[in-house]
Amino acid sequence: QKETVRIAFFVGIVGPLLSLLSAYVPDRLASLSVVASVLAMTLAASYLFLPSRDMANVLAYTIVTRASTPSLRSALQYFYTAGETCLPEDAGPHFTYTYYITFNGLIRECFVILAIFIYQYRMTSWSYRSVLSITLLLASFGNFVDVILVKRWNVTILGIPDNVFFLIGSSALESVTSMLHLLPFSSLLGKVCPPGAETATFAFVSGVGTFASTFGSLTGSAIMDWVGLKTMPDKNGDDGGG
């Protein structure tokens, strides 16, 4: 599969170059333009050189879904773990790192296992299109959990504590929808990849997907710059954003 190797090599070479660009060129628009250009060229090359059009369609789906998801996770982490010196007592959840990383991580894994059982016993008879569409829609609604937490509506309107409501979105909904999306997507990719090249194909699509996520991360950073959002250590020198 020389064509697949060439495209993968092209994407792999651009990755380190993009890191250098991000480090030495602070202009977000320039970085976004480079990533968008690389993704467009990768997509065009996939339809020209990949063994099948179905495989190119799966790659296009990966690029679109990953690149169209702006990421504000770094800023949200500062908000969730900021101390009272940065955020007043009622202005943020003030999660400890034990809760945010350890406890939340364990709960997430429990919901991942639950998602596997749900897919195995309830959704294997569904079409790929139905499962992927529903999980993407649910994942979109899951992002509103962060909005509700930031606006403090979970406390002021719903009367639900931060640590409980955060688990509903970050641990439960996000973990379940992510796994329910990954399982049928992996199965679909296994059906369209060339025989004998399954490992290389999975690695290639995963790499392109990760690169496409870079566009989402840069978009999130550009949004932060546009609204004037800055993150910095609090007055006590902790990592919480101020």
Side-chain angles (χ1 to χ4, degrees), residues 178-202:
S178 178
M179 182 53 64
L180 289 180
H181 184 271
L182 176 62
L183 291 172
F185 178 79
S186 300
S187 177
L188 176 62
L189 181 58
K191 291 180 179 295
V192 301
C193 67
E198 289 82 1
T199 302
T201 302
F202 272 83

Side-chain angles (χ1 to χ4, degrees), residues 46-159:
S46 67
Y47 279 100
L48 292 174
F49 300 116
L50 288 182
S52 68
R53 186 176 183 85
D54 288 338
M55 184 176 172
N57 288 337
V58 171
L59 188 66
Y61 172 83
T62 302
I63 291 175
V64 171
T65 54
R66 296 289 188 88
S68 61
T69 308
S71 176
L72 300 175
R73 185 58 55 186
S74 60
L76 287 172
Q77 177 178 341
Y78 285 122
F79 171 77
Y80 288 136
T81 59
E84 294 184 6
T85 56
C86 179
L87 288 174
E89 183 177 357
D90 58 348
H94 308 297
F95 294 146
T96 65
Y97 280 100
T98 301
Y99 170 85
Y100 185 77
I101 297 176
T102 306
F103 181 74
N104 182 52
L106 292 174
I107 298 299
R108 286 174 65 94
E109 295 305 316
C110 292
F111 278 106
V112 166
I113 296 174
L114 176 62
I116 294 174
F117 280 100
I118 293 174
Y119 180 79
Q120 180 64 33
Y121 293 104
R122 295 295 181 182
M123 305 179 74
T124 51
S125 59
W126 293 20
S127 66
Y128 288 121
R129 182 174 296 176
S130 297
V131 179
L132 294 176
S133 299
I134 290 176
T135 53
L136 284 176
L137 182 62
L138 290 175
S140 299
F141 282 114
N143 291 328
F144 283 101
V145 173
D146 292 321
V147 176
I148 294 173
L149 280 163
V150 171
K151 299 296 290 185
R152 315 300 296 143
W153 291 338
N154 61 298
V155 176
T156 58
I157 298 178
L158 302 176

Side-chain angles (χ1 to χ4, degrees), residues 209-224:
T210 301
F211 189 80
S213 297
T214 303
F215 185 86
S217 299
L218 289 173
T219 303
S221 298
I223 293 174
M224 290 171 59

